[in-house]
Amino acid sequence: MATTTAATAAFLAALRTGAAEPPEAGVPAWLWRLAGVLHEALPPPAANAWATRLHGLLGSAMPPAGLCAVHVWQADTVLPLLAGTADTAAPTALHRAAARGRPAGRAAWRSALGPLLLRLHDAAYDRASAYAEGLTGARDHALANGYPADEADAYGHAYARLATEANARACAEAHAQALGPALAAAYAADDARGYADTFPEAQLRAVLRATAVAGDAPRPEPLADGLLTALTAALP
């Protein structure tokens, strides 16, 4: 019991400090990265309780080498949360098939993931901060060049509207172009290492931002619980 308690404490400490590697061998890199984000996002008491459950689950058996748990998590938890943001039907079908051992080829994955990634990263873009920054900069520039205060304010708002939407679009397109082929290759090959190399933790942060109700903080609980359920389903 003491050994188990010490191992759990080390696991929690590694998550809390953002350790690059788990303290125990066998934990997939993609899972450790996702666990770090979820532990950070959950409120402190719930974060440690969740991480303890995760450690206990991994103590019974490590997930298989492939991406079955990822596909179950995406199909049953992540994509339903994104249903109000994007059309998730095509990627959901591919994830469900892959979870049953029938992964699609790269072309099918790229076709399904492209529109989803565009909508996800557009929704995740921090428009409020970008707008405020654009407004301040443009208004200050106008005032410095002799504009009256009301005209400078109008100019600042006009610039902020245009810049924010242009930047959101460019950000979404860049993420979709970079992630689409990499995710498609990893999913088609059932390649856990390749999936880890797509920075799933950054994608998870985008999901948290995209699914937050306007003005509210992100809610990581469904994603955290869904990941444990998916892992349980995938364990041998």
Side-chain angles (χ1 to χ4, degrees):
M1 178 65 71
T3 301
T4 301
T5 301
T8 301
F11 190 82
L12 295 179
L15 283 175
R16 188 166 52 250
T17 58
E21 301 291 337
E24 302 167 16
V27 180
W30 62 264
L31 177 57
W32 182 248
R33 294 180 179 186
L34 293 177
V37 172
L38 292 168
H39 186 265
E40 176 187 291
L42 288 163
N48 286 338
W50 177 83
T52 299
R53 290 168 58 202
L54 172 61
H55 186 254
L57 188 61
L58 296 176
S60 63
M62 285 295 173
L67 293 173
C68 179
V70 173
H71 293 303
V72 172
W73 184 55
Q74 289 285 335
D76 291 350
T77 301
V78 179
L79 292 176
L81 290 173
L82 292 173
T85 300
D87 183 354
T88 60
T92 297
L94 293 183
H95 280 297
R96 292 202 187 285
R100 294 192 295 268
R102 299 197 300 273
R106 290 191 188 189
W109 278 112
R110 287 189 66 172
S111 177
L113 291 172
L116 173 67
L117 291 169
L118 276 173
R119 293 297 304 134
L120 167 62
H121 288 281
D122 179 82
Y125 189 76
D126 187 355
R127 281 174 164 79
S129 296
Y131 190 98
E133 183 178 347
L135 169 61
T136 299
R139 184 168 52 200
D140 289 350
H141 174 77
L143 289 170
N145 283 274
Y147 279 67
D150 58 340
E151 292 183 17
D153 191 63
Y155 173 77
H157 281 289
Y159 174 85
R161 282 193 296 271
L162 292 172
T164 297
E165 289 309 311
N167 289 336
R169 184 167 56 252
C171 177
E173 290 173 353
H175 277 88
Q177 290 171 11
L179 284 173
L183 278 173
Y187 287 157
D190 197 30
D191 181 2
R193 181 69 256 179
Y195 175 64
D197 289 342
T198 68
F199 300 97
E201 68 274 30
Q203 298 169 55
L204 175 54
R205 288 191 176 96
V207 171
L208 285 166
R209 292 194 299 271
T211 55
V213 178
D216 290 344
R219 291 188 62 248
E221 292 85 358
L223 289 158
D225 290 341
L227 182 59
L228 293 184
T229 299
L231 286 168
T232 301
L235 288 178

